[in-house]
Amino acid sequence: MKNYFVTYKNPVTACLFIILLGGIFVYSQFKTSLFPEITFPKIKIIADAGLQPVDKMMVTVTRPLENAIKQIPDLLTIRSATSRGTCEISAFMDWNSNIDLSKQRIESSITEISNTLPQGVQITVEKMNPSILQVIGYSLETNTQRSAIDMKMLALFTIKPFLSQVPGVSDVRISGGKQKEYWIRLNRSKMGTLGITPDVITTALAQTNFIKSNGYLSDYNMLYLTVTDATVHSLEQLKSIVISNNGKRIIQLKDFADVAVKEAIEFTRINANGKESILVAIIKQPNANLIDLSDQMASKVKELQKILPAGVVLKPYYVQADFVQEAIQSVTESVWIGLLLAIFVSILFLRSLKASMTILLTIPITICLTLIWLFQIGYTLNIMTLGAIAASIGLIIDDAIVVVEQIQRTHEEHPGEPSGRLVHQAIRYLFPAMVGSSISTIVIFIPFEWMSGVAGSYFKVLTNTMIITLLCSFFVTWIGLPVIYLLLSRKRKISAKEAPAVSVKKQRWVGALIHRPWISFVLIMAMVVSVVLVLPKLATGFLPEMDEGSIVLDYASPPGTSLEETDRMLRQAEKLIVKIPEVSGYSRRTGTQLGFFITEPNTGDYLIQLRKDRTRTTDEVIADIRKQIESTQPALRIDFGQVIGDMLGDLMTSVQPVSIRIFGNDANELKSLSAQVAAVVSKVEGTADVFNGVVIAGPSVNIIPDFDKLAQFGITPASLQYQIQTSQEGNIVGTILEKEQTPAIRIIDSGYQHRSVDQLARLPIFLTSGKLKPISELATIQVNAGDAEIKRENLQTMGEVTARLENRDLGSVMKEIQQKLSAGVFLPQGYHIVYGGAYADQQQSFRELLFILMASSLLVFAVILFLFRDFRVAGLIIGLAVLGISGSYLALYITGTPLNVGSYTGLIMIVGIIGENAIFTFLQFRDSLNTMSVDDSVVFAISTRLRPKLMTALGAVIALTPLALGIGRGAQLHQPLAIAVIGGFIVALPILLIILPAMLRLLFRNRRPQTSEFRQI
């Protein structure tokens, strides 16, 4: 390393300049997203078998599917919900499994048993990942008299193809509006007079509206395909179809039916800001750049607006990129604000503009090198990678300050020496400690690779980014910083007369403290006691939460409520929502939901967008809306969440943080127990949106044919069902080709809209002769109050009670729930309770983080042991480093911040940070022992390291302050980590300046100068 920095100053300068330019370039090329692209190990299977009863659906569809899926390798948990005619199965795979391969295996297993399933079952298999949810939402609105059919056609055949041209768009989903259909409304009186039955109509339409190949015709050297095209192309042609010709009279469709264009029957309602609307949801491809996609989509919508009919507008109601941009900008600003404040600290302590400018230039180069590395390995620019860089700023500054301060101190002690020699001397002295300290901060993140679940997936990206950042910091500080210092140095030799040497000022208070070790023991005891007292009182959570500025409100009206009545109740609720000053707009779906779910006509959701310039948080607005809706619409069951948080919940095991599962065999007993548990949970302070998990499919009317009577009149059960369906929703009997669409032809009774249950019992049924007979003479009619949905986990029936949190932490709520359930709910033999949701994920993550903390501490211990080759020294340093966690606990307790995965990560970081600083102190102490007594060596080491320790601690604290304050959208995600690290840094000062010197004196009190055991490395 002799004269390296002087010899290679120009090449290194060029490399640093290239790194700077490269970092700026890759920053502009980065894909941007809110979170890292993570493939969640969840596969959802939805089976639709018409309207089969729940018990039959369970036996014929759900169980066979469960048994087939259960055999798939890497399956951890299988969960199902069976309702009337549908079942929803969630397969949770191992996080290390190949999710695409698992999906193929599931599809293959389902195919193998398809012959055993009821005929007509439709099965859909989907991977659950963030890409299946919308990133942009538009509402299509008009102030003209355009029909719902015209608006739907405009959305499907103009807007969807136009917006699909934007690169990165996976799908454009259209919700709302009405599909066009051709209705044949039967007049039963005329049909009876003419002797026409529904079977005759169906046969005639099937024999008329078709296109079929007749075969090939060879004519000389040409081969022709002959086709009989009997398709119907217009309303008039449909009306004129001949249904019967008995030789006396030709009967056409229009003679006994009203044929017209109508809106399709759909049990959904779509609403945007109080108006019936069509929603356009943009789904992005998994690896698409969200910000670029959003910008291009905005430009495309402006182009689209020019070709849309007058009075039709496309308005955005949700743009995820806005939140992502603000969150990333907020974290980026925190990085630069913290950096500038830290530079101010260095100027204050070093009183050297050159030294401060060296630090100021070093850090951007480190960040640029980090960005190049991240870009090369395929990471995106997201809130986790940027947060990692922001959290690492304190450690980067620490590295830079230590080296600059040593160079500055060497310069002060040898003012007459040239800068090149001084820099070389300072780096040569620090290099062993630089290597050891850098490794000690890097190794603490290695055990995070063992962390599992969603927390592990996201926080491994954070810790990997921090490892990369710290490695870049080491190389830039070791090679680049000295060159930058030389570039800023004047090219003249300063004589000793001009600037006398400055020696280290002896700090007398150090000598006083090391001779009073009881003070150190008192501090140690105080820290231990603080941990014992504070830890049980700490609020606990799972993942750090963010204020997204958007709300998802799921709702359900009482089972069996009509779509019209549900819509009326919701419009009353909307009057309350629009009065909330923070609400800027909303969209509502009834009969359908965001995501991939089974949805009944009485359920749906709102997506509520809040204003940016508001004074209340999203949680406060949620509490306000919840209170008003519960007081005015008590029949509505509501559940609140934030969009991205809800999305993560959908991708994990539970949307709600509180999930209590009761397992047993009897469905009625489980229903009763669920009600008891829900009653207990609802009385626990801090719970909201408590739901007992009992979902009723709604009432049904069962029509049981009398087979003898049907046989007597020559009617088959299938014919009876067909006539009943014709009187209700109608039957699809064909399609009409119109340009790019094929509207259905629906045959339906003219009185379908006004028929009651009593009238259904008097419904006239056509006999084969064309005569009519009431259905009550052919079948028995029973009214069923409705069947409850059946939930199962790992093939065992369960009931699930869920709840949200309101103004209270997860840990204390769950502790109180467990206590009250143990005392107030008696479980029969064979029944047991499992606590799931975010609490189960939290407990698993905390167990893993405790293991990571111990593993990280052992790795730091090993690094120190290799560096100094002394068990006592390594044990002392790691013991004090772990003691620094007390500061993190106190900071979390004082600020009311919960102990979660983020803050726990901060605790682990503190071990490496204190270990790193202790390495430099002991290095100074060990070298001083060669010429000084133990007491003098301790005083000299602390006096020498006092300025860099104060600088690094204060610089790191100030650099992390913007993150700790949680200013800006998305900043709350890293707030717990920043607070924990700041608390650890503050307590690190008395540990390193008071306790460590006292312990070193006690440890080496019998040592003498010139001890060969402590020779230089």
Side-chain angles (χ1 to χ4, degrees):
M1 201 184 291
K2 184 177 180 181
N3 296 322
Y4 171 85
F5 302 111
V6 175
T7 305
Y8 293 97
K9 182 173 69 174
N10 292 336
V12 171
T13 302
C15 289
L16 296 177
F17 185 70
I18 292 172
I19 290 172
L20 202 59
L21 292 179
I24 296 171
F25 173 75
V26 299
Y27 181 79
S28 65
Q29 301 298 311
F30 258 110
K31 292 180 181 179
T32 309
S33 59
L34 181 63
F35 288 110
E37 292 289 347
I38 300 296
T39 299
F40 285 77
K42 180 179 179 180
I43 299 172
K44 185 175 285 189
I45 303 96
I46 291 183
D48 187 343
L51 296 174
Q52 290 196 50
V54 174
D55 53 354
K56 185 177 180 182
M57 188 74 189
M58 169 60 67
V59 174
T60 61
V61 179
T62 304
R63 282 182 180 169
L65 288 176
E66 285 180 336
N67 291 331
I69 296 169
K70 188 69 175 174
Q71 301 173 24
I72 302 300
D74 299 322
L75 179 73
L76 297 181
T77 304
I78 183 171
R79 188 173 300 160
S80 68
T82 306
S83 186
R84 184 173 59 199
T86 56
C87 77
E88 179 181 300
I89 301 176
S90 296
F92 299 92
M93 314 303 295
D94 187 89
W95 277 89
N96 297 320
S97 65
N98 185 324
I99 196 67
D100 293 308
L101 179 59
S102 296
K103 180 174 179 286
Q104 292 174 5
R105 286 171 172 168
I106 288 175
E107 291 172 332
S108 177
S109 295
I110 293 174
T111 302
E112 289 177 4
I113 66 164
S114 58
N115 292 334
T116 65
L117 299 176
Q119 188 176 4
V121 175
Q122 297 180 351
I123 300 176
T124 307
V125 181
E126 286 285 351
K127 292 186 304 181
M128 299 301 291
N129 58 67
S131 297
I132 69 171
L133 303 175
Q134 68 179 30
V135 294
I136 307 173
Y138 294 98
S139 61
L140 183 64
E141 302 175 9
T142 180
N143 55 12
T144 64
Q145 298 300 316
R146 285 183 173 272
S147 68
I149 292 177
D150 291 339
M151 294 294 286
K152 181 86 169 187
M153 292 177 64
L154 182 66
L156 288 173
F157 301 109
T158 301
I159 294 174
K160 181 174 181 175
F162 198 86
L163 298 184
S164 296
Q165 299 172 15
V166 176
V169 172
S170 172
D171 190 16
V172 178
R173 296 176 185 168
I174 307 298
S175 305
K178 295 294 184 180
Q179 291 281 6
K180 180 180 179 180
E181 285 188 352
Y182 288 90
W183 280 22
I184 302 173
R185 301 183 66 177
L186 304 177
N187 187 315
R188 288 181 175 267
S189 299
K190 290 183 179 180
M191 289 174 63
T193 302
L194 296 172
I196 301 296
T197 65
D199 291 339
V200 173
I201 301 171
T202 304
T203 302
L205 289 173
Q207 293 177 352
T208 303
N209 188 25
F210 67 88
I211 179 170
K212 286 187 177 181
S213 169
N214 306 316
Y216 287 98
L217 174 64
S218 180
D219 184 6
Y220 294 100
N221 60 343
M222 298 297 294
L223 184 66
Y224 298 90
L225 174 66
T226 61
V227 176
T228 300
D229 186 355
T231 54
V232 176
H233 296 284
S234 67
L235 182 63
E236 290 302 319
Q237 289 181 357
L238 182 61
K239 289 180 179 180
S240 302
I241 290 178
V242 176
I243 301 300
S244 175
N245 183 359
N246 58 8
K248 298 178 181 179
R249 179 178 178 180
I250 296 176
I251 302 174
Q252 295 178 316
L253 197 57
K254 60 185 176 182
D255 293 333
F256 58 85
D258 177 23
V259 185
V261 175
K262 293 287 184 178
E263 297 175 352
I265 297 176
E266 296 177 2
F267 291 96
T268 59
R269 289 284 174 87
I270 304 298
N271 181 325
N273 298 318
K275 300 178 181 178
E276 293 291 332
S277 181
I278 292 178
L279 301 183
V280 181
I282 308 299
I283 314 299
K284 82 176 187 72
Q285 294 175 352
N287 295 321
N289 189 326
L290 178 61
I291 304 299
D292 290 347
L293 173 64
S294 181
D295 292 340
Q296 293 180 53
M297 186 60 66
S299 301
K300 200 70 174 178
V301 168
K302 289 182 180 178
E303 295 178 24
L304 175 64
Q305 198 64 54
K306 298 176 183 178
I307 64 175
L308 289 178
V312 178
V313 293
L314 200 61
K315 297 181 179 178
Y317 67 86
Y318 175 70
V319 182
Q320 191 182 93
D322 289 347
F323 173 70
V324 174
Q325 282 183 312
E326 291 181 18
I328 290 177
Q329 182 181 356
S330 173
V331 176
T332 304
E333 289 175 353
S334 297
V335 172
W336 292 112
I337 292 172
L339 175 60
L340 293 175
L341 291 174
I343 295 301
F344 173 76
V345 170
S346 66
I347 294 174
L348 184 67
F349 276 87
L350 295 176
R351 297 186 298 275
S352 169
L353 183 61
K354 178 175 68 174
S356 302
M357 285 299 298
T358 301
I359 297 173
L360 182 62
L361 293 174
T362 300
I363 295 173
I365 294 173
T366 301
I367 294 175
C368 285
L369 183 58
T370 301
L371 293 176
I372 294 171
W373 195 333
L374 294 176
F375 184 80
Q376 186 64 31
I377 64 175
Y379 274 21
T380 62
L381 204 61
N382 54 68
I383 202 166
M384 300 305 290
T385 51
L386 278 174
I389 294 173
S392 300
I393 285 294
L395 300 177
I396 298 172
I397 291 173
D398 188 6
D399 290 345
I401 284 176
V402 166
V403 176
V404 169
E405 195 277 338
Q406 184 63 38
I407 294 174
Q408 189 73 6
R409 181 175 301 282
T410 307
H411 180 76
E412 292 171 353
E413 293 175 352
H414 306 89
E417 296 291 331
S419 296
R421 186 178 302 170
L422 293 175
V423 168
H424 174 75
Q425 182 179 345
I427 297 299
R428 184 177 61 181
Y429 173 76
L430 276 182
F431 184 74
M434 286 173 61
V435 173
S437 63
S438 295
I439 294 176
S440 68
T441 51
I442 289 171
V443 295
I444 61 173
F445 298 114
I446 294 176
F448 277 89
E449 289 297 318
W450 294 317
M451 196 171 181
S452 63
V454 64
S457 297
Y458 282 134
F459 276 83
K460 274 191 280 191
V461 173
L462 182 139
T463 53
N464 288 343
T465 303
M466 295 187 82
I467 290 174
I468 291 170
T469 306
L470 293 174
L471 285 171
C472 293
S473 175
F474 170 75
F475 286 108
V476 172
T477 305
W478 171 34
I479 299 172
L481 184 147
V483 172
I484 296 173
Y485 187 88
L486 291 176
L487 291 173
L488 297 176
S489 299
R490 295 180 182 178
K491 296 182 180 180
R492 68 185 185 89
K493 185 176 180 180
I494 304 174
S495 66
K497 295 181 179 179
E498 296 177 56
V502 178
S503 59
V504 176
K505 181 180 179 181
K506 184 177 180 180
Q507 303 294 327
R508 298 182 181 276
W509 57 269
V510 179
L513 287 174
I514 64 175
H515 286 90
R516 296 174 177 82
W518 62 268
I519 297 177
S520 297
F521 286 112
V522 168
L523 287 174
I524 292 173
M525 287 301 300
M527 293 176 186
V528 173
V529 170
S530 69
V531 171
V532 174
L533 295 178
V534 169
L535 186 56
K537 298 180 180 179
L538 271 181
T540 60
F542 178 41
L543 293 176
E545 298 179 353
M546 295 185 295
D547 191 328
E548 303 172 24
S550 54
I551 301 170
V552 172
L553 165 56
D554 295 320
Y555 59 82
S557 59
T561 305
S562 67
L563 183 63
E564 291 72 20
E565 176 61 17
T566 301
D567 184 65
R568 185 198 65 79
M569 296 167 65
L570 294 173
R571 289 191 179 275
Q572 296 298 317
E574 287 164 14
K575 293 179 181 179
L576 304 174
I577 293 174
V578 297
K579 290 181 181 179
I580 304 292
E582 290 82 3
V583 173
S584 64
Y586 66 88
S587 64
R588 187 244 292 179
R589 286 146 292 275
T590 305
T592 183
Q593 283 181 287
L594 294 168
F596 187 57
F597 302 99
I598 297 173
T599 308
E600 295 286 341
N602 66 314
T603 61
D605 59 33
Y606 283 93
L607 198 160
I608 304 171
Q609 195 68 32
L610 303 183
R611 301 182 189 277
K612 296 179 182 179
D613 54 339
R614 65 183 191 277
T615 55
R616 293 193 295 179
T617 65
T618 300
D619 287 337
E620 290 171 339
V621 176
I622 286 175
D624 191 4
I625 298 176
R626 177 187 288 121
K627 181 180 178 181
Q628 294 194 42
I629 293 180
E630 286 179 343
S631 61
T632 59
Q633 301 295 327
L636 281 178
R637 174 172 58 82
I638 55 178
D639 180 70
F640 287 87
Q642 298 193 54
V643 176
I644 297 171
D646 231 38
M647 175 199 73
L648 291 176
D650 291 338
L651 298 175
M652 294 187 293
T653 56
S654 178
V655 176
Q656 292 80 8
V658 178
S659 174
I660 304 163
R661 297 165 192 156
I662 309 104
F663 289 89
N665 297 320
D666 186 81
N668 292 326
E669 183 67 30
L670 287 173
K671 184 178 177 181
S672 174
L673 290 172
S674 296
Q676 295 178 45
V677 171
V680 172
V681 173
S682 61
K683 295 178 182 178
V684 174
E685 183 182 355
T687 60
D689 304 338
V690 179
F691 177 46
N692 61 16
V694 179
V695 178
I696 305 296
S700 61
V701 178
N702 293 343
I703 300 172
I704 305 172
D706 186 328
F707 297 105
D708 293 336
K709 288 288 184 68
L710 292 181
Q712 179 183 346
F713 293 104
I715 303 175
T716 64
S719 177
L720 176 68
Q721 186 278 330
Y722 186 87
Q723 292 194 49
I724 296 171
Q725 184 173 336
T726 300
S727 70
Q728 297 301 113
E729 293 185 6
N731 286 284
I732 303 298
V733 293
T735 59
I736 293 180
L737 179 62
E738 290 184 351
K739 296 180 181 179
E740 297 182 13
Q741 61 175 332
T742 55
I745 302 173
R746 184 184 296 270
I747 180 172
I748 192 167
D749 192 84
S750 58
Y752 84 101
Q753 288 180 320
H754 311 289
R755 188 170 285 117
S756 64
V757 175
D758 292 336
Q759 289 174 329
L760 178 64
R762 299 192 296 271
L763 177 71
I765 299 297
F766 284 94
L767 305 180
T768 54
S769 61
K771 295 181 180 180
L772 298 172
K773 187 169 285 292
I775 192 175
S776 58
E777 296 184 17
L778 302 172
T780 302
I781 297 178
Q782 298 177 347
V783 178
N784 183 9
D787 297 321
E789 180 181 271
I790 300 175
K791 294 182 179 179
R792 285 156 58 96
E793 183 175 293
N794 293 329
L795 311 184
Q796 188 175 12
T797 307
M798 72 170 185
E800 184 178 24
V801 178
T802 59
R804 298 272 184 180
L805 301 176
E806 186 176 43
N807 301 323
R808 194 175 175 188
D809 68 285
L810 176 64
S812 62
V813 166
M814 291 305 302
K815 183 177 180 181
E816 185 175 345
I817 288 175
Q818 289 172 336
Q819 291 173 348
K820 291 190 174 181
L821 289 181
S822 299
V825 177
F826 172 76
L827 294 177
Q829 187 176 3
Y831 290 75
H832 67 280
I833 287 178
V834 174
Y835 297 95
Y839 177 74
D841 294 331
Q842 178 212 54
Q843 294 301 300
Q844 178 184 347
S845 295
F846 278 13
R847 288 191 296 269
E848 292 174 345
L849 286 167
L850 179 60
F851 170 76
I852 290 170
L853 174 61
M854 293 187 292
S856 299
S857 301
L858 288 175
L859 287 174
V860 174
F861 173 82
V863 170
I864 299 171
L865 186 61
F866 270 98
L867 186 63
F868 297 121
R869 301 184 296 278
D870 191 310
F871 275 103
R872 296 173 304 165
V873 173
L876 171 63
I877 292 177
I878 197 61
L880 296 181
V882 173
L883 195 61
I885 292 176
S886 62
S888 300
Y889 283 143
L890 285 170
L892 294 174
Y893 179 74
I894 292 170
T895 59
T897 305
L899 178 64
N900 51 39
V901 176
S903 51
Y904 217 130
T905 304
L907 302 183
I908 297 170
M909 288 176 60
I910 284 300
V911 175
I913 290 170
I914 295 179
E916 173 193 16
N917 282 273
I919 286 173
F920 286 104
T921 300
F922 184 77
L923 175 69
Q924 195 78 53
F925 166 75
R926 186 203 61 183
D927 290 346
S928 302
L929 274 179
N930 293 324
T931 56
M932 301 180 186
S933 65
V934 172
D935 287 4
D936 290 340
S937 296
V938 171
V939 173
F940 179 77
I942 298 302
S943 301
T944 303
R945 304 307 307 166
L946 178 62
R947 184 170 68 176
K949 277 183 172 44
L950 292 176
M951 287 174 62
T952 54
L954 189 57
V957 167
I958 290 178
L960 289 171
T961 297
L963 274 184
L965 294 175
I967 300 172
R969 298 177 73 178
Q972 301 91 346
L973 185 66
H974 300 295
Q975 187 178 25
L977 184 148
I979 291 173
V981 173
I982 287 175
F985 261 114
I986 293 173
V987 171
L989 286 176
I991 289 176
L992 295 170
L993 299 178
I994 299 176
I995 300 176
L996 179 60
M999 296 300 105
L1000 287 176
R1001 181 179 181 272
L1002 291 175
L1003 197 62
F1004 293 93
R1005 59 185 179 274
N1006 297 324
R1007 298 293 178 184
R1008 298 178 181 179
Q1010 303 296 333
T1011 303
S1012 59
E1013 182 180 348
F1014 294 99
R1015 59 190 180 278
Q1016 190 171 359
I1017 297 174

